[in-house]
Each structure stands twice: as C-alpha cells, then as structure tokens.
Amino acid sequence: MQQVKLTQRKLYPILVIVIATILLAACSDNSSVQSTVENQEVATIEIEEGTNEVQEETLPKGSITFDEFINRWNEIEPERLSRETETISVENGIKTDMGHLGIPDSYIVQYNQKDSLIKTVSLNLSFPLPEDGGGLWGNIPYNVGILMDVLEPELKEEDKEELLNTLLNSRMIPEVSARWGNVTYTVENGDDRFWLDATFSQY
C-alpha cells in the first residue's frame, strides 16, 4: 500500500509537467496560426490598396471628349469649328484628326479611340499680314483664349491673361510652355505660322 502511494506521489509531478507542456504547445500553435492569419489579412489589404492606387493613376483626369470640345467651341463661336475632320494617323489606340478653324487655320486633335477623351489639341494659325493692320498677333490671342475657355472653363480671367502674356510675349524663345491648371500650353516659335499644343497634364 505504501509503495502504491509512493508511486502515485512520484507520478503527480510528471503528470503536471506533461499536461503543462501539452497546454503550452497548444497555445503556441494557436498563437502561430492566429499570427499567420493576421499577416495574411494585412498582406491582402496592402495588395488591394496598391491595386486601387494603380487603377486611379491610370484613369484619365480632367480631359474632355472630342464631341465636347467641338460643342463647347461652337457655343462660344457658332459653327466656326468644323465637325468634318480628316484622319491623319491611328497609333496605339490614339487617333489624330485635323479639322478647319476658319479658312486659313486648322486644328489637330489627338484622342483615345476607345472613349474619345482628348490628349492634345493643336492650333495651326496664320499670322496677320502687314496690310491687315492687326498688329503682330492679329486674332491669335482671341483663338487661344477660346481654346483655354473650352479646355479649362474654370480658369479665372486674370489667370488666362497671365497665360496668354507668357505664351505670346516670348517671341524670341524657340519654345515656351505655361501651365496654370490641368493643361500645359506650348508654343513653338520660329515658323511662319503660329503653332500651339495644349496637352492635358493628367491624361
């Protein structure tokens, strides 16, 4: 009887140690699994957020469609901007069309074939003849001002005047660029005609 009691007394500590070891191992495994799940959730959130950011960056911002461009211009100057255009090129989904702006002048539009959103509008305008008495620029400031109203109707009048002064008062510089809002305007000097490119900066 005493031997049995002694054996039981010896087994108790061993049983306690075994049970404690099992419990610790189970807690450790559970913690490891929970940590792994949490890490997977964090990774998933980071991937989803990254994907959303990339999608937002690739979406065109602030552009207008080709039809909107023509409609807005003709609201200011009824039927002056020709709707009949000639396709110059199609490359990588970007279509380039040319239309008439009055008799001697033209405009060129680069736009996405899929959604017709404009990337660049170019004006090809003639300088006034000396006998016309229109000064150096003639009706060029007027046409460029309309273009700004069409592409960026939210521009304040004083901001538009500052842009025009920057672009037109730098005749001796080969290329002049100016930007106030979402469109970058670039004038190339040194030709017998006035060339201006208006490119949506966040296209």
Side-chain angles (χ1 to χ4, degrees):
M1 192 70 176
Q2 287 179 351
Q3 286 181 350
V4 170
K5 287 182 179 179
L6 285 172
T7 304
Q8 286 177 347
R9 284 178 186 172
K10 288 180 181 179
L11 286 174
Y12 284 142
I14 295 171
L15 284 172
V16 169
I17 291 170
V18 169
I19 291 169
T21 304
I22 292 170
L23 287 174
L24 284 173
C27 289
S28 175
D29 289 343
N30 187 31
S31 174
S32 175
V33 169
Q34 186 175 356
S35 175
T36 304
V37 170
E38 286 176 356
N39 287 339
Q40 286 177 349
E41 287 176 355
V42 170
T44 303
I45 291 169
E46 287 176 356
I47 291 168
E48 287 175 355
E49 287 178 353
T51 304
N52 288 339
E53 286 175 4
V54 170
Q55 287 175 348
E56 287 176 3
E57 286 175 2
T58 55
L59 291 175
K61 299 178 183 178
S63 184
I64 62 174
T65 65
F66 195 0
D67 283 340
E68 286 173 333
F69 169 72
I70 293 175
N71 291 335
R72 287 184 190 181
W73 191 295
N74 287 334
E75 281 176 10
I76 300 170
E77 279 195 315
E79 301 308 316
R80 180 152 182 258
L81 202 69
S82 169
R83 292 179 181 275
E84 295 180 6
T85 60
E86 175 188 349
T87 299
I88 298 174
S89 67
V90 179
E91 188 175 351
N92 297 326
I94 300 296
K95 191 174 182 181
T96 304
D97 284 2
M98 183 178 71
H100 293 290
L101 178 63
I103 295 173
D105 301 328
S106 62
Y107 68 93
I108 298 171
V109 178
Q110 289 185 318
Y111 61 98
N112 193 320
Q113 272 191 298
K114 185 177 180 180
D115 51 22
S116 292
L117 285 170
I118 289 176
K119 181 179 180 182
T120 302
V121 178
S122 302
L123 296 183
N124 176 10
L125 308 175
S126 56
F127 287 107
L129 297 172
E131 57 266 27
D132 292 340
L136 176 63
W137 297 108
N139 66 349
I140 289 175
Y142 175 71
N143 286 320
V144 175
I146 290 178
L147 179 67
M148 291 176 178
D149 288 336
V150 169
L151 300 184
E152 298 184 285
E154 70 281 358
L155 268 181
K156 297 178 181 177
E157 195 62 31
E158 57 267 27
D159 299 335
K160 188 171 74 172
E161 287 297 323
E162 188 172 338
L163 280 170
L164 281 169
N165 288 333
T166 301
L167 294 170
L168 302 181
N169 292 336
S170 305
R171 192 77 175 93
M172 303 306 294
I173 301 175
E175 184 177 291
V176 182
S177 290
R179 172 186 168 190
W180 195 271
N182 190 35
V183 179
T184 300
Y185 302 91
T186 303
V187 173
E188 292 186 13
N189 293 313
D191 200 347
D192 59 349
R193 293 182 66 82
F194 178 84
W195 286 90
L196 177 140
D197 294 331
T199 303
F200 281 94
S201 306
Q202 296 178 322
Y203 180 85

